[in-house]
Amino acid sequence: MTEEKSPWVGDQVHDAHTGREGVVTDVKNGTYILRPVHSYWGQTWTASGPEGLTVTVSRLERVKREREA
């Protein structure tokens, strides 16, 4: 059985409510702020909590990949 990780800042997630893939940029008062994966600038969206957010690439894995590129 694998342990499900709760999403946090820097994690890439799939948002089941919007059908979008994004990166968690901040968490304020339980609200998750996300941005598109391949955009540092642009429109963000929010999720009211971690429900429906599934970590697809952890922050540590994303940093590792960026350093290798």
Side-chain angles (χ1 to χ4, degrees):
M1 177 180 262
T2 60
E3 179 183 336
E4 266 208 46
K5 181 180 179 257
S6 182
W8 200 246
V9 175
D11 289 337
Q12 183 173 322
V13 298
H14 178 264
D15 182 352
H17 299 291
T18 64
R20 297 170 72 183
E21 191 84 9
V23 176
V24 179
T25 61
D26 204 355
V27 180
K28 294 182 180 179
N29 299 319
T31 299
Y32 287 68
I33 302 169
L34 300 103
R35 66 161 173 82
V37 174
H38 299 291
S39 173
Y40 291 99
W41 304 99
Q43 190 169 4
T44 61
W45 74 96
T46 61
S48 59
E51 302 80 17
L53 298 179
T54 304
V55 176
T56 56
V57 182
S58 71
R59 178 191 169 282
L60 292 176
E61 183 62 28
R62 288 182 61 246
V63 169
K64 180 181 172 186
R65 289 179 184 180
E66 288 175 9
R67 288 184 179 163
E68 292 174 349

